[in-house]
Amino acid sequence: MKITSAEFVKSAVLRSKYPKERLPEIMLVGRSNVGKSSLINTLINRRGLAKTSSTPGKTQTLNFYRINGAFTFVDLPGFGYAKVPLEVKRHWKRMVNEYVECRKNIKGAILLLDVRRDPGDVERDLIGWLDTSGIPVVLVLTKTDKLSSNKLFARVSVIKKALEVEDILPFSSVTKAGRLELLQRVVELIKS
Ligand SMILES: Nc1nc2c(ncn2[C@@H]2O[C@H](COP(=O)(O)OP(=O)(O)OP(=O)(O)O)[C@@H](O)[C@H]2O)c(=O)[nH]1
Ligand SMILES: [Mg+2]
C-alpha cells in the first residue's frame, strides 16, 4: 500500500463524539510509551502527525487519523502506567470498552509490545478480550532497534513462547524495520 494522504480527523472520549464517517478502523493498543503514536507516524511517513512523548501518558483520548481517504487509524491512550491514579485507569477502561463495544467498523487491532519487556497478564487479557470481541489482532514488537540482532532473535522467541503465538512482527520506528510488512497486514485487515 502506498500512503497518499494522512490527516487528523478528531479526538474523542465519548461515543457521541466519534467521527460520523464509518471508514474501516484499525485501533492501536499497548502500554503507555510502547510507541503507538510513533508507529502511526512511521507507517504514514509523517513525523509528528500523531503526538508522541518520552513521558508515558501522552495520548489521553481516542485520536482518529484518516489515511488515503480509505481507512482510519485510531490511536488509543496507553494503559498500565503505574503512576496513573486508579480513577484514570477506570476512565481508560470505560473509554476503550465503549469504543470496542459500540464501534462496528473496527476491522482490526495492532497490539504493540516493547521487545525488551516480558508480556504480562495485562497483555494476555487484552488479547483474550479482543478475541472475544471478534477483533483480529496483529501483534507487533516495538523498539527492536534497541537490541543487537542476536538478542532480538532470542527475545522474539521468548515472547512468542510466553504468549503461545507464532505470528509476531518485529518493528522499529527508528529504523523503519517491519514497516512494509505491517502495511501489508493492515491491507489484509481492512479487506477481511
Ligand atoms: N528507540 C525507539 N524509540 C521509540 C520507538 N517507538 C517509539 N519510541 C520512543 O518511545 C517514546 C514513546 O513513544 P510514543 O509513540 O509517544 O508512545 P505511545 O505508545 O503513543 O505512548 P502513550 O501515548 O503515552 O500511550 C518516545 O520517546 C518515542 O520516541 C522505536 O521503535 N525505537
Ligand atoms: Mg500515544
Side-chain angles (χ1 to χ4, degrees):
M1 172 171 44
K2 198 168 176 291
I3 304 294
T4 50
S5 70
E7 56 207 306
F8 173 67
V9 183
K10 67 188 301 196
S11 297
V13 173
L14 299 173
R15 172 186 181 183
S16 57
K17 302 286 186 210
Y18 299 165
K20 294 283 172 283
E21 63 194 28
R22 298 302 174 95
L23 294 173
E25 276 171 13
I26 306 291
M27 58 192 273
L28 284 291
V29 270
R31 284 179 185 273
S32 291
N33 212 44
V34 70
K36 299 175 291 300
S37 303
S38 304
L39 179 140
I40 293 181
N41 290 334
T42 302
L43 288 184
I44 65 182
N45 264 330
R46 282 274 296 278
R47 200 181 272 259
L49 184 65
K51 295 286 170 283
T52 66
S53 166
S54 54
T55 314
K58 175 69 184 170
T59 311
Q60 289 291 343
T61 53
L62 310 175
N63 295 316
F64 296 78
Y65 298 91
R66 189 190 304 119
I67 314 299
N68 291 357
F71 70 97
T72 306
F73 280 132
V74 186
D75 192 11
L76 265 57
F79 58 81
Y81 180 47
K83 287 188 189 155
V84 164
L86 196 59
E87 188 42 45
V88 177
K89 287 183 185 160
R90 290 207 183 103
H91 174 70
W92 185 90
K93 269 201 161 163
R94 272 200 303 274
M95 179 165 42
V96 176
N97 256 319
E98 186 175 34
Y99 172 66
V100 168
E101 277 164 21
C102 300
R103 198 72 169 160
K104 299 290 175 245
N105 47 323
I106 301 175
K107 298 294 265 180
I110 300 177
L111 172 54
L112 290 78
L113 301 129
D114 188 319
V115 70
R116 298 162 301 171
R117 274 185 84 119
D118 288 329
D121 289 342
V122 187
E123 280 83 6
R124 276 190 207 90
D125 288 352
L126 199 58
I127 294 173
W129 176 58
L130 290 167
D131 188 45
T132 10
S133 308
I135 299 176
V137 180
V138 174
L139 292 172
V140 169
L141 295 179
T142 62
K143 308 198 184 183
T144 57
D145 57 280
K146 300 256 193 189
L147 299 179
S148 68
S149 50
N150 277 346
K151 282 216 174 97
L152 175 60
F153 187 77
R155 286 299 300 159
V156 171
S157 124
V158 165
I159 294 170
K160 278 183 178 173
K161 271 210 188 102
L163 291 174
E164 298 176 48
V165 295
E166 263 311 307
D167 190 17
I168 200 156
L169 192 67
F171 184 90
S172 165
S173 285
V174 171
T175 64
K176 301 193 195 305
R179 178 179 178 272
L180 292 177
E181 291 90 330
L182 186 52
L183 278 174
Q184 186 50 39
R185 302 299 293 272
V186 169
V187 170
E188 286 159 19
L189 287 175
I190 293 165
K191 277 198 205 140
S192 65

